Amino acid sequence: MKQSKTLLFSLLLITTGILNAQNNIIRGIVSNNKIPVSFANIVIEGTTIGTSSDENGEFELSNNVDGSYKLIISAIGYKTAYVTVKKANDNGNFIKINLIETSESLEEMVVTGTLKAVSRSESPVPVEVYSPTFLKQNPTSNIFEALQNVNGVRPQINCSVCNTGDIHINGLEGPYTLVLIDGMPIVSGLSTVYGLSGIPNSLIEQIEIIKGPASSLYGSEAVGGLINIITKNTLQAPKFSIDGFATSWGEYNLDAGGKINIGKKTDLLLGVNYFNFDNIIDNNGDNFTDLTLQNRISVFQKWNFQRNENRILSLAGRFFYEDRWGGELQWTPEFRGGNEIYGESIYTARYEVLGKYQLPVKEKMMFSFSYTDHDQNSVYGDTEYLAKQRIGFSQLTWDLTKNNHDILIGSALRYNYYDDNTTATAEDDGTNNPDKVIIPSLFVQDEISFSEKHSLLLGMRYDYDNRHGSIYTPRMAYRWKINDNDILRLNAGTGFRVVNLFTEEHAALTGARDVFIEEELDPEQSFNVNLNYLKKIYSDNGTYVNLDFSAFYTNFSNAIIPDYDTNPNLIIYDNLNGSAISQGISSNIDVVFNNGLKVLLGATLQDVTNTDEGIKKTQILTENFSATWNISYNISSIDLSIDYTGNIYGPMRLPLLSDLDPRSEYSPTWSIQNIQFTYKGLEKFEFYGGVKNLLNWTPNKGNPFLIARADDPFDENVTFDANGNAAVTPDNPYGLTFDPEYIYAPNQGIRAFAGLRYRID
């Protein structure tokens, strides 16, 4: 009996030991100078095992890792910490982790510059990083509006009726900006205009921005820069979150997201965005809507699968549908496509799929793919625009390290399909011929580390387009780490954009102008040089300063420039017989004070010109200077934070219809400013509210009108001369036609907003 008891006791001890080995429990608290850091990420190095801290900074992590291992603790706005755990802690013990506060994401991991995960300060390519905290400082219903406070980046509205637009980087037009989701080219071509709406902000981990050509890694469209939207993984995402706000204009936006565990090896990330604006407003009295009415829904899913040796397997998809219209106040859907009441009505449906699969081999090889299907049914007055675009993309990369060489070898295949009911896909005999292009690519880059302070990245990409032949895009990036607080980077390279004209410029349909293509267009090419200097300053009183200074120069050949000036009834497209140059300097200063005040200031001076046939002109709709700011102050004693954000833009040349057009040729200096108050005194809740566009600035100020001949949108009372130009008559003293393209700033005035956030981790 005694032996049986001894045997039973021994078995219990062995079983307990096995269970403990299989389910080690690590508990701890993450703080910054004894102030809890909420929602910090805690991950075991080299695994997918992790968790996040709660509102009080505390965490608990169960794992089955034997022996010692390293914890990686990261949080937005703090330096990443590393803690070695030698053995499992008893349930009653805490690991105390103190994070050091930094400025905006200086040590965050970035992948956009080199297709490899490196810390931002170690990347040879300058990459700007913007976190969810940045997005919350000025809540918006879409990424397009959220980028208005990023230095050197400007959302450009291209139509005062339908309110569609694109993103300008360093003064370059929207077609030169490539937008990606998790590194895959989801938004390009036709999607540039509509695809930036409906990405749930609750699922965004960070936004990475490169200013300057990146075609050697990403191919066509990445001529002027790119924006990479990184979504959360299941370790970082909350179990459930919801964020909703409303404005005094009658806008309603709802973001909801969460994660679901499906079995032991599968996690699902789900996000939904819904936006509605159904309030007809005409504050400037032109009988046209000041803001397009919209009804939009977007559903996003991301599946993560655990595999042997922590290999990556993920699959994501998004569905997007939007119904938007703007026009005369009397317009209803029954007038859609007719010539009685003018309206611009756009139905957009998009499907997106993207995934990553790490091959089951010893080498680090990754297969990535994406596919988008964009279907658009739109009318602009009595002009119908029906378009379909499909983009398929696949990429295989091999990441290897040998001695002091960090090498990436890759191949890509891109398929573009585009069809519409315009001259863009019409043959000379009038038959329809959809545009189908397959572009295979090969690329290689080698980052050579000469020492801890000096590294050189060399890259080359080869693309073949059967319309244009072989295209080569080399790049070079040199990084000199002078010391831990001073980094100098020099980047140079080329970019290209294959002809994909009407998919970006179809805003021409929104006016009374016709499109005229002078000749068969050649691909655009660019050469860029960028010098970047990063300086970090730590003061004795705890204040932290980050200075980021850049000088840039980009020279375009074969640039395709829309000509609005030669004929007021046409938009003429032709390869520039000369050069287009974008050059300037840009600087950001990021300061974190020890009293809870944070300041991010940015300014850009630029000169963007086109020289054609020896005649030099400033590029249309391009400002010569701009500045942005984000100022935040946290009053911890009453759980209140204050955010003051804004931007200011210098004059830009605007598209006039004739020499008699009474509207200003140049915009004035203008500014959009916002203020927000956020209360965090209740667990899991945040209440926020404030005022947008404090100065009540709208582009109609100082102009007799914005929309030319808004009272005659079908030009029924316009008399045309023998050359097709509008003649001066008593009813038309300026010789104008209907045109809504004179727009450079949001036409939405001052408004209050209020919202609520709720989060469960």
Side-chain angles (χ1 to χ4, degrees), residues 467-661:
R467 299 168 300 177
H468 310 299
S470 299
I471 303 173
Y472 300 91
T473 47
R475 77 187 306 207
M476 179 276 292
Y478 170 68
R479 175 180 170 275
W480 176 22
K481 188 176 181 180
I482 303 171
N483 53 53
D484 289 340
N485 298 325
D486 295 88
I487 300 173
L488 185 68
R489 298 182 180 96
L490 176 65
N491 280 250
T494 62
F496 76 97
R497 186 173 75 98
V498 297
V499 177
N500 199 9
L501 174 66
F502 221 58
T503 56
E504 292 100 354
E505 304 291 354
H506 79 278
L509 285 168
T510 65
R513 297 174 184 245
D514 293 324
V515 172
F516 181 76
I517 300 174
E518 287 277 9
E519 60 185 354
E520 186 173 343
L521 300 172
D522 294 324
E524 298 177 295
Q525 295 181 328
S526 70
F527 171 74
N528 171 270
V529 177
N530 184 295
L531 181 65
N532 175 260
Y533 174 65
L534 177 67
K535 173 72 174 179
K536 295 181 281 188
I537 303 172
Y538 299 89
S539 67
D540 294 336
N541 64 0
T543 298
Y544 178 84
V545 180
N546 174 64
L547 296 171
D548 194 333
F549 175 84
S550 293
F552 57 89
Y553 173 87
T554 303
N555 188 307
F556 288 89
S557 58
N558 293 336
I560 301 172
I561 305 295
D563 178 4
Y564 291 85
D565 300 325
T566 302
N567 189 323
N569 297 310
L570 297 177
I571 300 179
I572 302 172
Y573 295 100
D574 188 13
N575 283 118
L576 195 68
N577 186 14
S579 63
I581 293 176
S582 169
Q583 57 188 342
I585 57 175
S586 178
S587 180
N588 287 318
I589 179 170
D590 201 350
V591 186
V592 179
F593 296 93
N594 60 3
N595 62 354
L597 178 64
K598 298 181 181 180
V599 178
L600 174 61
L601 302 175
T604 298
L605 296 174
Q606 62 189 17
D607 181 28
V608 184
T609 58
N610 305 318
T611 302
D612 189 20
E613 303 289 351
I615 301 175
K616 185 177 180 180
K617 289 184 178 181
T618 301
Q619 181 172 287
I620 202 167
L621 292 172
T622 304
E623 68 280 6
N624 54 9
F625 74 86
S626 63
T628 59
W629 61 86
N630 292 62
I631 302 174
S632 300
Y633 184 64
N634 184 41
I635 309 174
S636 56
S637 60
I638 57 175
D639 299 310
L640 183 70
S641 63
I642 304 172
D643 297 294
Y644 172 48
T645 60
N647 50 57
I648 186 170
Y649 298 103
M652 58 186 74
R653 190 165 68 90
L654 303 174
L656 298 180
L657 293 181
S658 71
D659 293 336
L660 297 176
D661 195 328

Side-chain angles (χ1 to χ4, degrees), residues 342 508-514 568-570 713-715 737-741:
Y342 187 89
L509 285 168
T510 65
R513 297 174 184 245
D514 293 324
N569 297 310
L570 297 177
F714 296 101
D715 290 336
T737 57
F738 172 74
D739 185 23
E741 303 301 323

Side-chain angles (χ1 to χ4, degrees), residues 24 28 56 78 86 156 248 251 268 382 459 461 483 503 529 534 651 693 743:
N24 297 329
N56 301 315
Y78 299 90
K86 295 183 177 180
Q156 169 62 46
S248 58
E251 300 163 285
L268 168 64
D382 56 0
R461 183 183 183 99
N483 53 53
T503 56
V529 177
L534 177 67
N693 197 354
I743 186 73

Side-chain angles (χ1 to χ4, degrees), residues 121-188:
S121 61
E122 296 297 322
S123 172
V125 178
V127 180
E128 294 185 12
V129 180
Y130 296 91
S131 69
T133 302
F134 179 88
L135 300 178
K136 288 180 179 179
Q137 290 176 333
N138 180 33
T140 62
S141 62
N142 55 64
I143 298 298
F144 179 82
E145 292 181 33
L147 296 174
Q148 64 183 288
N149 288 329
V150 175
N151 181 31
V153 177
R154 183 171 67 85
Q156 169 62 46
I157 296 176
N158 294 325
C159 174
S160 59
V161 177
C162 63
N163 291 161
T164 58
D166 50 33
I167 300 296
H168 291 199
I169 294 182
N170 286 345
L172 299 178
E173 295 282 349
Y176 301 111
T177 300
L178 178 63
V179 182
L180 310 104
I181 298 179
D182 290 334
M184 292 292 97
I186 292 295
V187 182
S188 60

